[in-house]
Amino acid sequence: MTSARSHLTDLTRFAPLLPGYQPREPQLEMAEAVEKAIRGGGTLMVEAETGTGKTLAYLVPALLSEGPTLVSTGTKSLQDQLFFKDLPLVRKALGLPRKVALLKGRANYLCPYRLELHQEEARFLTRETVEQMQIVAHWAGRTRTGDIAELQQLPEDAPIWPWVTSTADNCLGTDCPSYQECPLMNARKEAQEADLVVVNHHLFFADAALRGSGAGMELLPSANTVIFDEAHQLPEIAAAFFGDTLSTRQVQELGRDSLSEAGQTSADLSTLNQLIASVEKGCLDFRLSLGEMERRAPWSDVCENEAVMQAGEDLLEALRQLDVFLGPLGKASRGMEACSRRASEHVDCLAAYLKGDQPNRVYWFETFKRTVVLHSTPLSVSAQLRAQRERNPCSWILTSATLSVGGRFEHIQKRLGLDSADTLRLESPFDFKKQAVFYAPDGLPQPNDPDYTRALTEAMVPVIKAAGGRTFFLFTSHRALREAAAILRSAVDYPLLVQGESGRRELLDTFRDKGNAVLLGTSSFWEGIDVRGEALSCVIIDKLPFGSPGDPVAAARIEHINRNGGNAFRDYQLPQAVLALRQGAGRLIRDPQDTGLLVVADPRLLTKSYGKLFVNSLPNMTRTRKLDVVQRFFAYLARQGQTSQAGVPSNESAPGIPAAANEQPSGVSTGQREA
């Protein structure tokens, strides 16, 4: 069989489809390693920094292999990009008749049964959802896939979606009267017949959790190879799916579905209405018992509060009575059987949560305006993932731009239980020394100073002006974001885009269109964002992104590590922060022609002993602590005509840049980062 390297170096294949295509040595090295892992059934971790071309490096050997292969991505948008853009190109270049499929989670597909059910039973619908129902019904008659992403006329959070999509709780499976026309089942059938299936991490681990439960169910086809892109996200996503979650919204949906299904039976609707009203009241009282404020906290904070525990027990009793009532009705219809099963599962889950005695788990909750979500999360998923590998032996390829800390993979290997995995680090082919400047401003207070955000924001105003807007200002907290936004509204004349004031997609589209905007964002803007060219020329990071000590899961992990003789700061908090900083910094240079400025403002970068680990994990940019060097850098780029052209040519010195290159702050290494 022709190798992946020979295909990628054959310009007659890819050059006509990718203008300017040239094979890159790191890309070829990765393709060979992936090919070897697939052939040998091994586990491979590849850190492929921005510009490596990792998508081609894993798709080419995957399509050349016998399959079947699962490619799992971090987000649905990347999933769509792979399926609709990258895969067609690679298949055309290779000329191979490989069958591919796209498979998303259940909530992404129209449920014809629930659409029909709620069109007939409209008692719960508002005027808004009635109008949205009509839009969905019109689209349902034309769609081939039933993927709700097609219907861009409605937002992702439109209130109609829970009424016309299914969940694992309310799906009727093979007994559904609309089973033959079910988009989800059709998508799963296509996936079973495909050589390569594009999924996402949430779906993969939902399937793994189901298989591990012994329920005899599976969502995904078996595969010879699984490739995880954006693999740095796996530990947190896996923990969510190997844990348990119950929300008052789920409980309320059970009541509504029970009433809808009961209309097809001889059930005593008066009694059922009373039971559902009791459950609804229990949900409301439980939410109220936890206080008006929205928060995220460990259950241990409230488990000794008599009012909270009483409200929880009252809700549990109301659920038990509903469960008893629904039990005999389960034989009346498949829908009622599903409602009865859901009631029993909710009773078991809530009872276990209120008891809270499972070892090596953290019990925590989130409160929203009207809803409570209860979580039981494992402190580690390494054992579950090892068991998953043993049950389903196949090749695993894990890749991301950020997997290592200080050049070493032990942190991610330990969290995923993949200690014996082969590892490969591939540095970016970009010339960061020419393309970018790293600015560590001087004179800021310590991050715990109440005046820090104000001082930082005021210090960044001349930086933003020098950049002509075109800035991502990334924060580690919403509070700091709001404070900075209030200051910048009167301090700069550029369009100010603030997370929370519009949707993420709308903010990014506006940022690209404006060309001189300043976007303020928190965690969701630190990764998975790709803005190339002049529109983004400056990334400012307010603090080193250590996880919040108030996060209940992180706090429990820290306590667990320290209690068992480890050092949680060294072994968990510091590596996590380094990976997060690398993700944020990675927003700046996305293309060989990009140029720009990275600002990491936190004084601890230079004053703490661990600061060197952060600095050495970043690309080897030109470095400075002087504002005038930053201003001369942008002035130089402006004189070049466009920042999308050359940054700092090797044979021509930009004013201020040689000084910056030689000016190393104390505690910062002048050489390349660790290999």
Side-chain angles (χ1 to χ4, degrees):
M1 179 187 292
T2 310
S3 71
R5 174 180 276 269
S6 62
H7 279 289
L8 285 166
T9 53
D10 185 352
L11 292 181
T12 63
R13 292 182 180 275
F14 286 97
L17 302 174
L18 285 171
Y21 172 79
Q22 287 292 332
R24 311 164 194 173
E25 188 54 40
Q27 184 182 60
L28 301 177
E29 190 178 345
M30 177 175 172
E32 287 182 324
V34 171
E35 193 169 51
K36 179 182 176 183
I38 292 175
R39 202 165 45 237
T43 300
L44 172 69
M45 288 184 170
V46 184
E47 180 174 274
E49 293 184 348
T50 306
T52 302
K54 61 183 169 68
T55 304
L56 285 187
Y58 65 69
L59 283 182
V60 170
L63 288 171
L64 289 173
S65 72
E66 294 302 317
T69 299
L70 294 178
V71 177
S72 181
T73 72
T75 62
K76 287 183 286 188
S77 58
L78 180 55
Q79 199 180 355
D80 286 338
Q81 177 183 312
L82 271 172
F83 185 76
F84 293 109
K85 180 181 176 183
D86 300 328
L87 266 172
L89 185 150
V90 177
R91 289 169 69 204
K92 186 174 182 179
L94 298 181
L96 292 173
R98 294 287 192 255
K99 186 173 181 181
V100 299
L102 175 68
L103 185 59
K104 299 180 181 180
R106 181 191 305 275
N108 293 279
Y109 296 97
L110 175 73
C111 174
Y113 172 74
R114 287 178 63 78
L115 171 63
E116 183 179 356
L117 179 70
H118 293 305
Q119 276 182 300
E120 295 174 357
E121 178 59 80
R123 75 175 72 186
F124 301 114
L125 301 183
T126 64
R127 177 176 297 179
E128 179 187 17
T129 49
V130 167
E131 292 172 355
Q132 292 178 349
M133 180 74 79
Q134 292 172 345
I135 294 172
V136 173
H138 180 65
W139 164 74
R142 329 189 290 274
T143 180
R144 186 190 70 80
T145 66
D147 184 341
I148 65 175
E150 293 178 358
L151 193 52
Q152 297 187 3
Q153 191 175 349
L154 297 178
E156 292 180 6
D157 59 352
I160 193 60
W161 291 131
W163 297 95
V164 297
T165 59
S166 68
T167 66
D169 285 341
N170 58 36
C171 177
L172 303 184
T174 55
D175 292 328
C176 178
S178 301
Y179 182 78
Q180 295 302 322
E181 58 193 89
C182 175
L184 172 64
M185 296 306 166
N186 290 337
R188 287 183 181 174
K189 182 179 179 183
E190 288 186 16
Q192 292 288 347
E193 299 169 352
D195 299 297
L196 185 148
V197 185
V198 181
V199 301
N200 58 60
H201 300 339
H202 290 83
L203 181 58
F204 180 87
F205 285 110
D207 176 74
L210 263 181
R211 293 177 190 237
S213 69
M217 300 173 63
E218 55 188 57
L219 308 176
L220 302 177
S222 297
N224 292 338
T225 301
V226 182
I227 299 172
F228 297 98
D229 201 341
E230 301 298 315
H232 64 279
Q233 299 176 2
L234 295 183
E236 301 303 328
I237 294 175
F241 281 95
F242 286 119
D244 296 306
T245 300
L246 179 66
S247 71
T248 51
R249 178 178 173 177
Q250 281 177 277
V251 174
Q252 290 164 328
E253 285 177 351
L254 166 64
R256 290 195 290 266
D257 289 345
S258 298
L259 204 54
S260 294
E261 294 290 349
Q264 319 296 321
T265 72
S266 59
D268 181 348
L269 295 182
S270 175
T271 301
L272 179 57
N273 268 307
Q274 291 176 5
L275 291 171
I276 291 172
S278 179
V279 168
E280 288 274 359
K281 182 178 184 300
C283 289
L284 178 61
D285 290 346
F286 188 44
R287 172 63 190 91
L288 290 174
S289 74
L290 292 165
E292 295 183 7
M293 188 175 65
E294 295 186 11
R295 61 173 169 160
R296 172 186 169 110
W299 184 245
S300 57
D301 281 4
V302 298
C303 66
E304 295 183 3
N305 183 307
E306 289 186 16
V308 171
M309 294 308 293
Q310 186 61 55
E313 292 293 343
D314 289 347
L315 175 57
L316 179 59
E317 181 57 30
L319 264 175
R320 282 184 173 136
Q321 291 182 23
L322 179 61
D323 180 28
V324 170
F325 180 86
L326 294 178
L329 296 175
K331 299 176 182 178
S333 71
R334 185 64 177 87
M336 286 305 299
E337 182 185 354
C339 289
S340 176
R341 173 184 50 78
R342 288 162 61 188
S344 296
E345 290 173 352
H346 291 350
V347 166
D348 291 343
C349 189
L350 181 56
Y353 188 91
L354 294 175
K355 195 173 182 182
D357 59 355
Q358 286 183 276
N360 297 320
R361 289 206 168 210
V362 53
Y363 293 87
W364 56 287
F365 68 95
E366 296 175 285
T367 56
F368 301 95
K369 190 172 183 180
R370 297 184 179 88
T371 308
V372 182
V373 185
L374 305 176
H375 302 271
S376 168
T377 304
L379 292 171
S380 170
V381 294
S382 57
Q384 289 95 326
L385 287 176
R386 284 195 197 97
Q388 162 76 5
R389 298 297 316 281
E390 291 169 3
R391 285 192 301 269
N392 304 283
C394 64
S395 303
W396 272 27
I397 317 294
L398 299 89
T399 185
S400 170
T402 54
L403 287 177
S404 72
V405 177
R408 305 175 69 87
F409 288 80
E410 282 94 337
H411 176 66
I412 189 79
Q413 286 178 297
K414 185 175 181 180
R415 293 199 69 193
L416 294 174
L418 301 176
D419 299 355
S420 60
D422 294 326
T423 61
L424 174 65
R425 285 192 69 231
L426 299 168
E427 295 194 359
S428 173
F430 296 160
D431 191 342
F432 284 97
K433 200 77 173 175
K434 294 180 182 178
Q435 291 179 249
V437 170
F438 173 41
Y439 175 42
D442 204 1
L444 290 176
Q446 289 301 307
N448 60 356
D449 189 308
D451 205 36
Y452 177 77
T453 299
R454 182 199 60 77
L456 163 66
T457 306
E458 291 175 353
M460 291 300 104
V461 168
V463 174
I464 293 169
K465 289 180 176 178
R470 304 182 300 169
T471 297
F472 270 11
F473 204 154
L474 303 179
F475 296 86
T476 54
S477 75
H478 290 276
R479 183 203 57 77
L481 179 148
R482 290 190 296 269
E483 183 179 348
I487 296 170
L488 290 175
R489 289 191 200 282
S490 58
V492 298
D493 295 328
Y494 305 107
L496 198 64
L497 308 174
V498 181
Q499 179 180 341
E501 295 182 0
S502 297
R504 184 170 181 261
R505 185 183 301 175
E506 183 180 347
L507 287 172
L508 285 171
D509 289 345
T510 304
F511 183 87
R512 292 186 180 99
D513 292 342
K514 293 288 186 183
N516 68 338
V518 179
L519 188 152
L520 278 60
T522 56
S523 56
S524 63
F525 285 88
W526 284 62
E527 61 179 280
I529 305 293
D530 192 2
V531 179
R532 303 182 182 221
E534 285 188 297
L536 178 58
S537 296
C538 178
V539 171
I540 302 170
I541 294 174
D542 77 328
K543 295 180 183 179
L544 297 178
F546 287 105
S548 168
D551 179 271
V553 179
R557 287 190 181 129
I558 291 168
E559 182 186 355
H560 177 76
I561 293 169
N562 290 335
R563 189 172 61 243
N564 286 278
N567 183 319
F569 181 78
R570 180 196 64 207
D571 301 336
Y572 174 67
Q573 294 168 279
L574 185 58
Q576 288 293 103
V578 169
L579 291 173
L581 181 69
R582 294 184 64 200
Q583 280 290 331
R587 298 316 97 212
L588 182 63
I589 303 297
R590 308 296 299 174
D591 186 272
Q593 304 305 315
D594 282 351
T595 56
L597 175 77
L598 172 66
V599 183
V600 182
D602 195 324
R604 292 174 295 180
L605 190 73
L606 306 173
T607 61
K608 297 293 185 181
S609 59
Y610 56 73
K612 186 178 290 187
L613 181 62
F614 285 97
V615 173
N616 290 340
S617 292
L618 294 171
N620 189 36
M621 304 175 185
T622 295
R623 296 169 185 164
T624 187
R625 298 194 72 180
K626 295 181 178 179
L627 175 61
D628 69 303
V629 172
V630 170
Q631 293 168 326
R632 289 203 299 271
F633 172 65
F634 281 115
Y636 168 79
L637 294 177
R639 286 197 298 274
Q640 298 306 301
Q642 294 186 14
T643 55
S644 59
Q645 296 175 355
V648 184
S650 57
N651 61 350
E652 180 181 355
S653 296
I657 299 304
N662 295 322
E663 178 215 337
Q664 300 300 331
S666 60
V668 177
S669 169
T670 59
Q672 297 284 339
R673 65 186 186 283
E674 293 179 39

